[in-house]
């Protein structure tokens, strides 16, 4: 009689493959405390219980599953389950399923960690609902003030305070928990590679070297809403025009700033009627690289000039910022050595590991993505590389928790 197959990381990914599919955008849309993400939290809790791990939710809504009583010098691994709108299947969940599978592999190898081993699921890493990336890890570590987070609103106008209340958390308790973070000795996040790094290197796994500095800004252009047909072309103050010119300016400015990646992926015209000249247009800027402040200054001056030419105004506000992070070199090299010397890759993507690295030694493991595409349905990793990643994570956790 064939026994039930050993759970594998690729098998666990298949278990959640239908949760949060976005039938209109394609890919997945899973955002903090929405139906899909709550279903994934339940799934994670079930998988943790199946492995006899002790579950807890911290005051900021991040989920933790412990092998051994949580205590000082714990080795923690994990990632996130939320996605960008229309995102891929691997960004986030791959780190979570690999962590659960690494527990299975350690047990199959007869390894009992000498240190507490934790598996964490951080909330709202993508900022897909409330606009601030790594919301859960930033709140827990104190790098985002609770009062600022509680006021954040989602596109429907729901505040983060109401969303956490709805999820059974106490908004009054949201905030930094240094005792909780103090339990963590080392943190290792496994993540699907979000570029071509491993394709070009020809290997299934790499360690992380740096995370690019990155931030998000909102620009609101305001003009005069009006009738699309009754308003002569020379009698308009249409905010859509400076917004469109700013999108083009972002590409031009970024193209001439070495190492810069700047994107406008989200625009919102208000009120958004086909036969209505917009009264305001919101544009969100994602800018990353070695000299973001000067790039944002150039974008802002282009936006102001375009707005003025159309008799409009523009207001710019910063929504999030993360400095460049260099992962702990000693931990990076130890992780690489445990894997026989895998290459170290920089990344243009932000991660909870980068937030944690300001508080505890943190490392990242990347698993090859043969498409080189991420934040889109084409994001992919072969089962063989997924399983190689879980084996590598188990080896690293075994070494760190010995
Ligand atoms: O946006 C990012 O870089 C990450 O995927 N949250
Ligand atoms: Mn992402
Ligand atoms: Mn991610
Ligand atoms: Mn991450």
């Amino acid at each position: 009689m064939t026994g039930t197959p050993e759970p594998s990381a690729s098998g666990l990914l298949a278990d959640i493959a239908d949760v949060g599919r976005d039938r209109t955008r394609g890919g997945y849309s899973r955002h903090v405390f929405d139906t899909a993400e709550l279903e994934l939290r339940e799934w994670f809790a079930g998988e943790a219980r199946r492995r006899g791990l002790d579950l807890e939710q911290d005051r900021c809504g991040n989920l933790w599953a412990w092998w051994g009583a949580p205590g000082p010098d714990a080795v923690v691994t994990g990632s996130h389950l939320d996605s960008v709108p229309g995102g891929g299947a691997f960004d986030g969940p791959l780190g979570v399923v690999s962590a659960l599978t690494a527990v299975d592999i350690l047990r199959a190898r007869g390894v009992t960690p000498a240190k507490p081993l934790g598996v964490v699921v951080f909330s709202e890493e993508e900022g897909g609902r409330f606009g601030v990336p790594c919301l859960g890890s930033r709140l827990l570590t104190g790098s985002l003030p609770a009062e600022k987070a509680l006021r954040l609103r989602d596109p429907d106008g729901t505040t983060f305070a109401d969303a956490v209340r709805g999820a059974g958390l106490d908004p009054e308790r949201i905030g930094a928990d240094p005792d909780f973070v103090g339990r963590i000795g080392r943190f290792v996040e496994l993540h699907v590679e979000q570029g071509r790094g491993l394709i070009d290197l020809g290997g299934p796994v790499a360690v992380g070297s740096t995370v690019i500095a990155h931030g998000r800004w909102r620009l609101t252009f305001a003009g005069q809403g009006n009738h699309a047909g009754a308003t002569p072309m020379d009698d308009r103050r249409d905010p859509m025009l400076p917004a469109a010119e700013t999108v083009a300016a972002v590409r031009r400015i970024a193209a001439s700033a070495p190492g810069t990646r700047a994107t406008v992926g989200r625009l919102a015209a208000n009120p958004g009627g086909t036969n209505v000249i917009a009264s305001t247009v919101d544009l969100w800027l994602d800018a990353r690289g070695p000299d973001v402040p000067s790039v944002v200054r150039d974008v802002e001056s282009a936006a102001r000039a375009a707005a003025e030419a159309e008799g409009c105004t523009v207001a710019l506000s910063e929504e999030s910022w993360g400095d460049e992070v260099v992962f702990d070199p000693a931990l990076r090299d130890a992780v690489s050595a445990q894997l026989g010397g895998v290459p170290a890759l920089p990344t243009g993507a932000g991660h909870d590991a980068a937030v944690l690295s300001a508080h505890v030694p943190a490392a990242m493991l990347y698993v090859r993505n043969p498409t080189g595409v991420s934040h889109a349905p084409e994001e992919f990793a072969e089962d063989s590389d997924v399983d190689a990643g879980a084996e590598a994570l188990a080896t690293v956790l075994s070494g760190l928790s010995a």
Side-chain angles (χ1 to χ4, degrees):
M1 186 182 83
T2 50
T4 43
E6 264 301 296
S8 67
S10 45
L12 288 173
L13 273 178
D15 291 349
I16 57 174
D18 286 334
V19 181
R21 276 195 194 284
D22 191 322
R23 305 285 175 202
T24 44
R25 296 186 185 106
Y28 293 90
S29 292
R30 302 157 166 172
H31 306 311
V32 68
F33 302 138
D34 74 3
T35 313
E37 202 250 9
L38 290 171
E39 190 178 335
L40 289 173
R41 284 169 178 262
E42 275 308 307
W43 165 82
F44 175 74
E47 289 301 324
R49 277 194 284 271
R50 196 189 318 278
R51 290 165 175 79
L53 305 179
D54 296 324
L55 260 175
E56 63 177 330
Q57 181 173 244
D58 65 33
R59 63 176 59 162
C60 300
N62 305 301
L63 288 177
W64 302 74
W66 293 100
W67 180 0
D73 203 21
V75 175
V76 176
T77 184
S79 191
H80 60 97
L81 291 172
D82 65 296
S83 72
V84 295
F90 299 83
D91 177 352
L94 182 64
V96 175
V97 301
S98 300
L100 292 167
T101 307
V103 169
D104 300 333
I105 292 168
L106 290 179
R107 285 182 173 151
R109 291 180 188 172
V111 172
T112 303
K115 297 183 172 87
L117 186 65
V119 177
V120 63
V121 174
F122 284 114
S123 290
E124 185 76 339
E125 192 271 355
E126 299 290 2
R129 180 175 175 189
F130 290 99
V132 172
C134 299
L135 187 57
S137 54
R138 287 177 195 245
L139 280 170
L140 188 69
T141 57
S143 67
L144 177 74
E147 52 282 0
K148 181 177 174 190
L150 292 168
R151 289 196 303 270
L152 293 172
R153 287 184 182 276
D154 72 3
D156 298 334
T158 305
T159 62
F160 182 60
D162 287 341
V164 298
R165 197 176 288 114
L169 289 164
D170 176 359
E172 298 297 313
R173 295 196 65 241
I174 293 278
D177 190 338
D179 293 343
F180 203 109
V181 175
R183 293 165 165 177
I184 307 170
R186 258 77 60 88
F187 178 66
V188 182
E189 177 173 0
L190 181 144
H191 205 282
V192 67
E193 223 269 302
Q194 295 176 287
R196 297 190 46 82
L198 275 165
I199 302 170
D200 299 340
L201 287 171
V205 172
V207 291
S209 55
T210 59
V211 170
I212 200 169
H214 61 288
R216 296 183 184 187
W217 288 261
R218 176 178 185 162
L219 288 87
T220 300
F221 296 88
Q224 177 55 59
N226 215 326
H227 193 296
T231 314
M233 293 312 290
D234 61 1
D235 186 21
R236 295 179 176 217
R237 292 191 294 116
D238 180 352
M240 189 63 88
L241 190 63
E245 289 171 346
T246 301
V247 172
V250 166
R251 172 60 76 95
R252 186 179 68 249
I253 292 163
S256 60
T260 294
R261 282 112 185 245
T263 311
V264 176
R266 184 181 167 203
L267 272 174
N270 169 45
T274 303
N275 56 350
V276 177
I277 299 171
S279 48
T280 61
V281 174
D282 283 312
L283 173 154
W284 282 266
L285 171 67
D286 178 308
R288 312 186 187 206
D291 196 5
V292 169
S294 81
V295 166
V296 174
R297 273 194 302 274
D298 291 350
V299 168
E300 184 176 11
S301 58
R304 290 201 184 288
E308 200 177 315
E310 179 66 15
C312 293
T313 61
V314 61
L316 172 133
S317 59
E318 178 181 291
E319 296 206 325
S320 72
W321 173 251
D323 289 323
E324 182 193 27
V325 161
V326 178
F327 286 119
D328 182 286
L331 181 57
R332 178 202 63 210
D333 294 346
V335 168
S336 175
Q338 282 164 351
L339 301 176
V342 295
L345 281 183
T347 184
H351 292 288
D352 294 305
V355 173
L356 279 239
S357 71
H359 304 271
V360 299
M364 287 201 74
L365 281 179
Y366 298 118
V367 171
R368 176 168 45 194
N369 167 355
T371 70
V373 173
S374 184
H375 284 188
E378 295 79 7
E379 181 183 272
F380 184 69
E382 300 288 356
D383 283 357
S384 54
D385 285 352
V386 165
D387 295 334
E391 288 286 343
L393 182 60
T395 299
V396 167
L397 296 176
S398 174
L400 295 179
S401 59

Coordinates of all heavy atoms in Angstrom, one line a residue, residues 80 84 91 125-126 191 194 349-350 374-375, ligand 2:
H80 N 6.2 35.6 3.6 CA 4.8 36.1 3.6 C 3.9 35.4 2.7 O 4.3 34.6 1.8 CB 4.9 37.6 3.2 CG 5.4 37.8 1.8 ND1 4.6 38.0 0.7 CD2 6.6 37.9 1.3 CE1 5.3 38.2 -0.4 NE2 6.6 38.1 -0.1
V84 N 1.1 40.8 -4.5 CA 0.7 42.1 -5.2 C -0.6 41.8 -5.9 O -1.0 40.6 -6.0 CB 1.8 42.5 -6.2 CG1 3.1 42.9 -5.5 CG2 2.1 41.4 -7.2
D91 N 6.1 34.3 -5.0 CA 6.6 35.4 -4.2 C 5.9 35.4 -2.8 O 4.8 35.8 -2.7 CB 6.3 36.7 -5.0 CG 6.8 37.9 -4.2 OD1 7.1 37.8 -3.0 OD2 6.7 39.0 -4.8
E125 N 3.4 42.0 3.4 CA 4.7 42.3 2.9 C 4.7 43.2 1.6 O 5.5 44.1 1.4 CB 5.5 41.0 2.6 CG 6.9 41.2 2.4 CD 7.3 41.4 0.9 OE1 6.4 41.4 0.1 OE2 8.5 41.7 0.7
E126 N 3.7 43.0 0.8 CA 3.6 43.7 -0.5 C 3.0 45.1 -0.3 O 3.1 45.9 -1.2 CB 2.8 42.9 -1.5 CG 3.4 41.5 -1.8 CD 4.7 41.6 -2.6 OE1 5.2 42.8 -2.9 OE2 5.3 40.6 -2.9
H191 N 13.3 32.8 -0.7 CA 12.4 33.6 -1.6 C 12.7 33.2 -3.1 O 13.8 32.9 -3.5 CB 12.7 35.1 -1.5 CG 11.5 35.9 -1.8 ND1 11.2 36.2 -3.1 CD2 10.6 36.5 -1.0 CE1 10.1 37.0 -3.1 NE2 9.7 37.2 -1.9
Q194 N 13.7 37.1 -8.2 CA 12.7 37.9 -8.9 C 13.4 38.6 -10.1 O 12.9 39.6 -10.5 CB 12.1 38.9 -7.9 CG 11.3 38.2 -6.8 CD 10.7 39.1 -5.8 OE1 11.5 39.5 -4.9 NE2 9.4 39.3 -5.8
A349 N 14.4 43.7 -5.1 CA 13.1 43.6 -4.4 C 13.3 43.8 -2.9 O 14.4 43.5 -2.3 CB 12.6 42.2 -4.6
G350 N 12.3 44.3 -2.3 CA 12.3 44.5 -0.8 C 11.9 43.2 -0.1 O 11.2 42.4 -0.7
S374 N 8.6 38.4 -12.1 CA 8.0 38.3 -10.8 C 6.9 39.4 -10.7 O 6.9 40.3 -11.6 CB 9.0 38.5 -9.7 OG 8.4 38.3 -8.4
H375 N 6.1 39.3 -9.7 CA 4.9 40.3 -9.6 C 4.1 40.2 -10.8 O 3.5 41.2 -11.2 CB 5.4 41.7 -9.4 CG 5.9 41.9 -7.9 ND1 6.2 43.2 -7.4 CD2 6.1 41.1 -6.9 CE1 6.6 43.0 -6.2 NE2 6.5 41.8 -5.8
Ligands
LIG2 MN1 6.9 40.9 -4.0

